[in-house]
Amino acid sequence: MADVLLVNAPAASVGSDAHASLNPPLGLAYIGSALREQGFAVEAIDFNISGLSEQRLRATLSRTEPAVVGISAHTETYPRGLDIAAIVTEFDPETTVVMGGAHPSVTYESTATEPAVDYVVVGEGDRTMVELVESTIEGQRPTDILGVAFETGDGVKFTGRRPFIEDPDTLPPPARDLFPLHLYRSPGNLLFSRGGCPFNCHFCAVNSIWDEGGRRFHSPDRVVEEIRELVEGYGIDHLNFADDVFTLHRPKTEQLLDRLSSLELSQPWSFTVATRVDLVDQDLLERLSEAGATGVQFGVEAGSQEMLETIGKGITTEDIRESVEQAVAANLDVLASFMFPHPSDTERTIRAQIEFMKELHELGADLSLAYTTPYPGTGYRELAKNGEITVEADGWDDYDAKHLMISTRSLSIEELRPLRDELLRETGLAQQPAAPQ
Ligand code: SF4
């Protein structure tokens, strides 16, 4: 028996896609621990590991008889999330179905109208979900709980944004034991911070999801507690900070790195981070390395000053070259991540990107490429709505960032294909087994 069953919705391609089960779903694990702290019995399934199995879902519903099923989805997994909601409702119409996560948070007005969805948790869900489960189990309709959207029969009601959790240390550590960590390719993910971002890159939805909510940081003690659990408890020797911008707050980053540098664990461990090139320097990169970091991912995204300015990235090609060189000098593996294409790209800027990618590779960076995807909540979505770019998609399933799906303002998808092939060939990404097709 369980009060709550948490379900991570899978991508359609799970089974053929080795990336699908990369990390445990930290957001659901945080919600699981917040619910447990209030005494609720929680179970969880991550269908990203094996793909959606209706048989398994029905068997779990039958065994656990949950009062509430909480489904987490992002854009690509949203259709499977709705499938899960429909199965739950069909299995037992009395079960309360809640959806949350990045996509439902941004699209709550439409998600709340889905027939199998009772409530949408909008934004930071830890406290909202606890209150929602409490009121459901007490037989009340959670109409006054902040951060909830639902269909009233007379339109969708949104109860309003919930104030952000000021101190994330007040939340218990994520309940990783809800998920089979040994089945993930990269099981050791953790967060230093949560919330919005002071930058506003036009392709990014982070500030729509978090409603511009400021960054809040875990203390070094709390981060160390989670590192101990992962390394000494679970025996995971390589961890990955899942923060978009690990070095966002310099003093807090330095405090944490100082702490990690003197941390003694019973077995060797290391970690990787992602950040912006303009938020590091030689000293900080050395300190990262001394603290145990083996790699840093820089979101570079575009390959010329002109395009970096157009996409609102707020960094320069000089920043990028310098930080890559400094990170290599600090003995860090560097991954420079790019996107393709951007709405203002032309043949000329794409060729400039190819040359810049090759240059960074020469400087010692590995390269990765994500296909630009106009997620809800991004500036690029607005361009698609205005007809400035076209989007080739049969549904949300196609929002996987693994294939070419947008035109630019001046190049059709057909015209972009040979340029994509040239980019993959010239940069060596075509040879890598995991290269996007
Ligand atoms: S891409 Fe990174 S730096 Fe830009 S807004 Fe998103 S999280 Fe912030």
Side-chain angles (χ1 to χ4, degrees):
M1 297 282 285
D3 297 309
V4 184
L5 176 65
L6 299 175
V7 184
N8 197 28
S13 58
V14 173
S16 60
D17 179 2
H19 290 287
S21 56
L22 197 58
N23 308 116
L26 264 190
L28 275 186
Y30 267 102
I31 286 171
S33 62
L35 288 164
R36 278 178 170 171
E37 191 182 47
Q38 296 307 313
F40 295 112
V42 182
E43 293 223 10
I45 308 178
D46 182 0
F47 280 120
N48 260 307
I49 293 171
S50 55
L52 179 55
S53 159
E54 181 168 345
Q55 193 182 12
R56 180 172 171 209
L57 179 56
R58 285 178 179 278
T60 306
L61 290 168
S62 177
R63 178 175 56 79
T64 58
E65 297 178 22
V68 178
V69 173
I71 303 163
S72 176
H74 54 86
T75 302
E76 183 194 0
T77 65
Y78 182 68
R80 299 289 86 68
L82 292 180
D83 291 345
I84 291 164
I87 294 166
V88 173
T89 302
E90 197 264 329
F91 184 85
D92 180 1
E94 296 298 307
T95 306
T96 298
V97 175
V98 181
M99 275 196 96
H103 186 90
S105 285
V106 177
T107 64
Y108 67 85
E109 286 178 351
S110 57
T111 301
T113 64
E114 291 291 343
V117 175
D118 294 306
Y119 301 103
V120 184
V121 168
V122 181
E124 195 168 38
D126 317 74
R127 303 265 191 254
T128 308
M129 193 65 179
V130 167
E131 290 181 23
L132 214 155
V133 170
E134 274 168 356
S135 74
T136 302
I137 287 177
E138 286 166 9
Q140 293 165 9
R141 209 165 140 68
T143 49
D144 295 328
I145 293 173
L146 286 175
V148 178
F150 52 93
E151 172 66 60
T152 63
D154 190 25
V156 170
K157 176 177 177 186
F158 176 45
T159 56
R161 288 274 170 184
R162 170 175 290 266
F164 292 105
I165 296 165
E166 287 295 329
D167 179 3
D169 280 7
T170 58
L171 291 168
R176 295 183 170 87
D177 62 291
L178 286 170
F179 300 98
L181 292 199
H182 62 287
L183 294 181
Y184 294 94
R185 285 179 53 210
S186 181
N189 58 341
L190 74 165
L191 282 169
F192 175 29
S193 65
R194 54 162 60 196
C197 178
F199 301 96
N200 268 303
C201 307
H202 301 336
F203 53 83
C204 179
V206 68
N207 286 322
S208 297
I209 297 163
W210 288 96
D211 196 31
E212 310 281 340
R215 275 275 143 180
R216 289 140 291 138
F217 292 79
H218 280 304
S219 64
D221 281 351
R222 167 58 181 268
V223 175
V224 164
E225 182 187 341
E226 287 194 38
I227 290 172
R228 266 192 207 288
E229 182 196 25
L230 286 162
V231 176
E232 296 184 330
Y234 287 103
I236 299 167
D237 59 6
H238 186 76
L239 311 186
N240 177 50
F241 282 93
D243 306 78
D244 299 313
V245 190
F246 180 79
T247 59
L248 196 55
H249 192 295
R250 178 87 183 220
K252 288 185 190 297
T253 307
E254 290 182 353
Q255 271 176 15
L256 176 62
L257 294 179
D258 285 349
R259 184 70 200 281
L260 298 186
S261 294
S262 59
L263 180 63
E264 291 189 6
L265 298 181
S266 59
Q267 64 181 76
W269 71 286
S270 59
F271 65 95
T272 42
V273 301
T275 191
R276 291 171 55 97
V277 292
D278 57 346
L279 293 178
V280 293
D281 57 24
Q282 189 68 60
D283 176 59
L284 192 63
L285 290 161
E286 301 281 356
R287 290 170 81 157
L288 264 166
S289 183
E290 281 159 21
T294 55
V296 58
Q297 177 178 351
F298 291 130
V300 176
E301 323 304 359
S304 61
Q305 192 53 45
E306 172 189 349
M307 287 306 301
L308 286 167
E309 284 165 20
T310 309
I311 69 174
K313 185 70 191 174
I315 57 176
T316 68
T317 49
E318 262 324 293
D319 292 334
I320 298 164
R321 287 188 187 95
E322 188 179 33
S323 294
V324 167
E325 286 178 323
Q326 289 173 343
V328 169
N331 197 29
L332 294 167
D333 289 328
V334 180
L335 179 64
S337 56
F338 282 83
M339 296 170 64
F340 175 85
H342 290 287
S344 296
D345 260 328
T346 61
E347 263 192 63
R348 179 178 56 77
T349 61
I350 290 169
R351 295 234 158 78
Q353 176 167 330
I354 293 171
E355 290 311 309
F356 192 58
M357 291 174 81
K358 286 159 69 177
E359 183 187 341
L360 295 189
H361 189 55
E362 287 285 307
L363 292 177
D366 277 337
L367 305 172
S368 73
L369 187 77
Y371 289 98
T372 305
T373 306
Y375 293 110
T378 65
Y380 286 8
R381 184 91 196 144
E382 297 308 307
L383 297 181
K385 278 190 195 159
N386 298 340
E388 292 184 51
I389 56 172
T390 55
V391 181
E392 204 174 73
D394 290 332
W396 296 121
D397 283 329
D398 282 335
Y399 284 63
D400 62 2
K402 292 175 190 144
H403 70 283
L404 181 58
M405 70 177 300
I406 65 161
S407 71
T408 71
R409 289 187 173 94
S410 59
L411 295 165
S412 68
I413 292 175
E414 271 315 302
E415 289 167 325
L416 284 164
R417 285 203 174 97
L419 291 162
R420 170 205 59 189
D421 293 344
E422 183 179 330
L423 183 149
L424 293 176
R425 195 175 55 246
E426 288 284 317
T427 58
L429 287 171
Q431 273 84 52
Q432 294 179 9
Q437 295 305 305

